[in-house]
């Protein structure tokens, strides 16, 4: 028989409404045998002297957190870059102070350039025009004419190159001018243009030692946040399926204290045409692969409009304050065709949807699908949900949609978008969780790391308080309760991955996955939720204390 241990804790928040609070949990092997009190669990031990472990006697246990939308490959090639960001970041291997203003950004970039060995490219991440002013390739060439400089936008979906980097990537001025998503004059590459640069620099970005170090840091980030289950929500997008599978096998081995469910890209990003039946046949073979820590769900990821952080999203009238247009990642017609094909095949369809015009396309598509072949439950998940209207949320509820929301937009972007892009009304109501709750739409919170910290308690703190980075409350009527926020990082996040029968709450039969906390999120003042310390995680019955 597998080892059985009784763990006693100060408080156990089970996230099971039938028994929301306990103080004792019994673990047999990798699963929960029973949860309750020291007295109620004794029926399993008649005539025996069970092992009692008081490691968590002064701690609070919650279900291991679930982040249903991260990007391991993307994060792992970004993490080794030189980060220059407009807000503070705390990572297991470094803490970053905010750099704000154009001069400050360029001075920091120049300082880094002066310290690099000759011949080493300078690749940075974190630039955003709302914090750092306007940028172009000519300015970067003034910093160095000979060293390649790549400035990756904070939103990932775009980047800038200096002249040396253009040459390094093998991109001519003519190439840039012909591409529909490149501003050749500014050496600015976005969406499919950015993907072209990434492909050209693949050997550097995914070089063996560099990417291995990135994956190790990524794993530490996931652990530090208290996560025991994550969703790779676009497998194959960054490095290609073959390399990402190899990296997954190497990085997430039997010693990794979390599991990964992978959702592959349904159609190649930027494709003007696609053989969807052939792609579906390929995904069927891909889903047969699994390791001790990684497996595929019967789900696909599709993309509607451009990235939110990168200000490439598609907006309905009145659009942006400066009047410029957004962009589609996938053309509306191809998105409709792909969604219909995967819907008919019984797949769960996750669609990257940044703003209200993109959402309108997704809802129109969903309405068509429900009319011809009704499906309900976890069938279509709207990913991100930056800008929306209350009427769209009501319509989404009527059509049976679910939502996985990046709530961190509110903290980092709402005040800046209010002043420079959207105006106050729409900016203050971005990521409208309160409206989702009032319309009984099941939703989760995600990080989309590195778009937000992979720290579920931080994102729950934003959801409950809606404080922007200047400390103002943005959209008080879109705040949610602590209980709703905790569900959105545990049981409802597990639901978005179709794993709620295995993880997401502490009850008999489920995996013995716990986040070990120094305080109870239900008892501390709401503004202190993000300050709760994650002491470690229990993954399938094995405790891994945090040392970060």
């Amino acid at each position: 028989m597998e080892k059985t241990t009784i763990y006693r804790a100060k408080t156990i928040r089970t996230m099971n409404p039938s028994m929301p609070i306990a103080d004792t949990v019994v673990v047999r092997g990798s699963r929960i045998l029973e949860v309750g009190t020291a007295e109620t669990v004794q029926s399993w031990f008649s005539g025996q002297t069970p092992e009692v472990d008081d490691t968590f006697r002064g701690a609070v246990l919650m279900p291991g957190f679930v982040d249903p939308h991260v990007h391991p490959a993307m994060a792992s090639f970004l993490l080794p870059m030189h980060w220059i960001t407009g807000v503070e970041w705390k990572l297991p291997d470094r803490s970053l102070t905010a750099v704000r203003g154009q001069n400050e950004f360029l001075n920091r970039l120049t300082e880094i350039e002066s310290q690099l060995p000759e011949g080493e490219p300078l690749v940075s991440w974190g630039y955003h025009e709302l914090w750092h002013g306007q940028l172009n390739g000519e300015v970067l060439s003034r910093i160095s004419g000979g060293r390649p400089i790549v400035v990756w936008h904070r939103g990932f979906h775009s980047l800038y190159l200096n002249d040396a980097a253009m040459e390094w990537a093998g991109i001519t001025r003519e190439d840039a001018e012909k591409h529909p998503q490149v501003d050749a004059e500014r050496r600015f590459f976005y969406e499919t243009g950015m993907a072209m640069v990434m492909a050209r620099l693949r050997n550097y970005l995914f070089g063996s030692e560099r990417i291995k170090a990135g994956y190790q840091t990524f794993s530490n980030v996931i652990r530090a946040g208290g996560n025991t289950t994550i969703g790779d929500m676009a497998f194959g997008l960054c490095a290609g399926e073959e390399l990402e599978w190899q990296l997954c096998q190497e990085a997430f081995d039997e010693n990794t204290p979390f599991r990964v469910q992978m959702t592959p890209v349904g159609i190649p990003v930027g494709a003007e045409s696609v053989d969807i039946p052939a792609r579906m046949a390929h995904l069927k073979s891909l889903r047969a692969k699994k390791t001790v820590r990684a497996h595929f769900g019967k789900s696909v990821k599709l993309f509607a409009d451009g990235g939110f952080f990168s200000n490439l999203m598609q907006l309905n009238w009145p659009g942006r304050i400066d009047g410029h247009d957004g962009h589609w990642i996938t053309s509306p017609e191809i998105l409709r065709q792909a969604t219909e094909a995967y819907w008919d095949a019984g797949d769960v369809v996750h669609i990257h949807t940044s703003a209200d015009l993109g959402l309108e396309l997704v809802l129109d598509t969903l309405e068509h699908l429900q009319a011809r072949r009704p499906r309900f439950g976890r069938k279509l998940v709207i990913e991100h949900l930056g800008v929306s209207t209350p009427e769209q949320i009501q319509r989404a509820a009527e059509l049976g949609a679910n939502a996985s929301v990046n709530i961190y937009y509110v903290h980092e972007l709402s005040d800046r978008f209010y002043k420079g892009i959207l105006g106050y009304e729409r900016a203050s109501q971005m990521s409208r969780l309160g409206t989702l709750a009032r319309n009984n739409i099941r939703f989760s919170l995600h990080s989309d790391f590195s778009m937000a910290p992979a720290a579920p308690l931080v994102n729950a703190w934003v959801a409950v308080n809606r404080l922007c980075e200047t400390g103002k409350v943005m959209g008080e009527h879109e705040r949610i309760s602590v209980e709703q926020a905790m569900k959105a990082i545990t049981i409802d996040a597990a639901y978005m991955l179709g794993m709620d029968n295995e993880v997401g709450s502490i009850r008999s039969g489920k995996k013995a996955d716990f986040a070990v906390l120094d305080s109870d999120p239900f008892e501390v003042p709401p503004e202190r939720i993000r300050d709760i310390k994650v002491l470690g995680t229990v993954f399938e019955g094995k405790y891994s204390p945090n040392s970060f």
Side-chain angles (χ1 to χ4, degrees):
M1 182 182 292
E2 294 178 296
K3 180 182 177 182
T4 302
T5 305
I6 297 176
Y7 291 101
R8 297 187 292 193
K10 179 181 178 181
T11 306
I12 300 174
R13 293 286 184 175
T14 69
M15 302 313 297
N16 174 7
S18 298
M19 184 186 287
I21 300 177
D23 61 25
T24 304
V25 59
V26 184
V27 175
R28 178 169 290 171
S30 64
R31 292 189 177 271
I32 298 166
L33 185 65
E34 181 148 338
V35 62
T37 67
E39 180 181 357
T40 62
V41 302
Q42 287 303 316
S43 59
W44 289 96
F45 304 103
S46 178
Q48 304 174 45
T49 304
E51 178 179 337
V52 178
D53 190 321
D54 281 335
T55 300
F56 312 125
R57 191 67 167 172
V60 175
L61 298 185
M62 285 195 67
F65 296 141
V66 180
D67 191 330
H69 186 139
V70 298
H71 298 290
M74 180 189 82
S76 297
F77 86 78
L78 292 178
L79 282 164
M81 294 181 185
H82 300 278
W83 284 29
I84 311 174
T85 59
V87 299
E88 293 181 351
W89 273 82
K90 292 183 179 180
L91 300 169
D93 64 340
R94 75 198 95 151
S95 293
L96 301 168
T97 57
V99 174
R100 298 188 176 182
Q102 186 177 56
N103 289 338
E104 289 77 5
F105 177 82
L106 294 176
N107 289 342
R108 178 65 183 132
L109 206 60
T110 301
E111 179 186 10
I112 294 170
E113 193 280 332
S114 69
Q115 296 171 352
L116 292 178
E118 185 176 349
E120 181 177 332
L122 194 173
V123 185
S124 77
W125 175 84
Y127 161 80
H128 199 296
E129 61 276 7
L130 294 178
W131 280 269
H132 305 128
Q134 295 301 313
L135 191 63
N136 59 60
E138 184 179 346
V139 170
L140 299 179
S141 292
R142 292 193 204 117
I143 293 175
S144 177
R147 186 191 305 278
I149 299 178
V150 181
V151 173
W152 224 291
H153 194 280
R154 167 72 177 84
F156 175 70
H157 288 243
S158 58
L159 54 81
Y160 295 84
L161 304 178
N162 72 346
D163 291 337
M166 292 273 288
E167 183 178 350
W168 180 40
I171 299 172
T172 66
R173 178 63 179 254
E174 184 180 7
D175 293 334
E177 289 174 343
K178 287 181 178 178
H179 199 287
Q181 292 188 314
V182 175
D183 182 337
E185 187 66 29
R186 298 167 61 212
R187 280 77 121 194
F188 175 58
F189 298 73
Y190 55 95
E191 299 301 3
T192 59
M194 179 277 295
M196 175 182 69
V197 175
M198 190 163 63
R200 300 286 184 96
L201 302 183
R202 172 188 167 110
N203 289 342
Y204 172 80
L205 295 172
F206 292 93
S208 178
E209 295 306 312
R210 179 186 180 87
I211 198 64
K212 284 181 181 178
Y215 265 87
Q216 181 58 59
T217 303
F218 171 78
S219 294
N220 291 340
V221 167
I222 296 303
R223 286 183 54 197
N227 299 285
T228 54
T229 301
I230 60 174
D232 182 346
M233 196 47 68
F235 176 84
L237 175 66
C238 291
E241 291 169 356
E242 183 177 351
L243 179 55
E244 288 194 26
W245 178 246
Q246 176 189 331
L247 292 168
C248 175
Q249 290 177 290
E250 294 173 356
F252 307 137
D253 59 19
E254 64 276 4
N255 296 314
T256 302
F258 57 86
R259 65 184 64 78
V260 186
Q261 178 174 286
M262 295 166 295
T263 294
V265 174
I267 56 175
V269 170
E272 296 182 3
S273 63
V274 61
D275 185 342
I276 295 176
R279 179 64 181 162
M280 294 173 73
H282 169 71
L283 293 186
K284 184 176 181 179
S285 64
L286 185 67
R287 288 170 178 152
K289 297 182 177 182
K290 64 178 181 178
T291 72
V292 68
R293 290 289 181 265
H295 69 278
F296 286 89
K298 195 175 188 308
S299 53
V300 293
K301 175 73 176 294
L302 301 175
F303 295 82
D305 55 329
F308 198 73
F309 262 100
S310 298
N311 191 20
L312 296 169
M313 65 282 190
Q314 289 279 27
L315 290 160
N316 271 321
W317 192 89
R320 292 166 174 78
I321 290 174
D322 67 6
H324 88 262
D325 294 327
H327 297 271
W328 296 108
I329 298 178
T330 308
S331 73
E333 183 55 36
I334 290 179
L335 181 65
R336 291 188 194 100
Q337 292 173 9
T339 306
E340 182 173 310
Y342 286 112
W343 177 275
D344 288 351
D347 289 358
V348 178
V349 184
H350 298 256
I351 306 182
H352 163 113
T353 312
S354 294
D356 52 358
L357 186 57
L359 181 57
E360 201 70 21
L361 169 63
V362 171
L363 294 178
D364 286 347
T365 302
L366 179 56
E367 184 171 14
H368 165 72
L369 296 175
Q370 291 288 29
R372 61 185 292 277
R373 181 172 291 187
R375 296 175 63 201
F376 291 94
R378 189 183 66 97
K379 306 305 179 187
L380 188 143
V381 182
I382 300 163
E383 298 284 340
H384 302 319
L385 198 67
V387 172
S388 63
T389 69
E391 293 77 15
Q392 286 180 322
I393 300 303
Q394 181 177 349
R395 186 181 177 204
E398 293 168 352
L399 292 170
N402 301 118
S404 181
V405 181
N406 190 330
I407 191 61
Y408 199 72
Y409 294 157
V410 175
H411 179 64
E412 187 163 336
L413 296 179
S414 61
D415 189 61
R416 298 279 171 157
F417 273 33
Y418 143 45
K419 294 171 181 175
I421 296 174
L422 296 175
Y424 180 79
E425 180 184 351
R426 287 180 297 163
S428 67
Q429 296 172 31
M430 62 175 60
S431 304
R432 51 172 76 249
L433 298 179
T435 305
L436 289 172
R438 287 188 289 273
N439 282 274
N440 296 313
I441 292 179
R442 200 165 186 179
F443 62 87
S444 62
L445 302 180
H446 67 245
S447 70
D448 194 20
F449 184 78
S450 58
M451 296 306 100
L457 288 173
V458 171
N459 294 314
W461 168 82
V462 179
V464 171
N465 296 283
R466 291 186 69 92
L467 295 174
C468 71
E469 47 105 13
T470 62
K472 294 183 293 190
V473 174
M474 299 295 276
E476 63 176 319
H477 299 294
E478 294 298 338
R479 292 183 292 195
I480 59 173
S481 69
V482 172
E483 181 174 6
Q484 288 168 326
M486 293 302 117
K487 287 177 62 179
I489 61 175
T490 55
I491 189 64
D492 287 348
Y495 174 81
M496 294 305 158
L497 297 176
M499 298 182 66
D500 50 315
N501 62 324
E502 286 283 294
V503 300
S505 63
I506 300 176
R507 69 148 174 85
S508 175
K510 286 196 172 185
K511 294 288 189 181
D513 294 353
F514 314 132
V516 185
L517 312 177
D518 74 342
S519 302
D520 187 343
F522 291 83
E523 295 295 333
V524 302
E527 61 273 13
R528 277 205 54 231
I529 290 174
R530 69 171 174 176
D531 300 322
I532 294 172
K533 186 175 182 181
V534 178
L535 303 175
T537 57
V538 175
F539 177 74
E540 297 189 356
K542 183 178 180 180
Y543 180 45
S544 297
N546 277 347
S547 57
F548 309 116

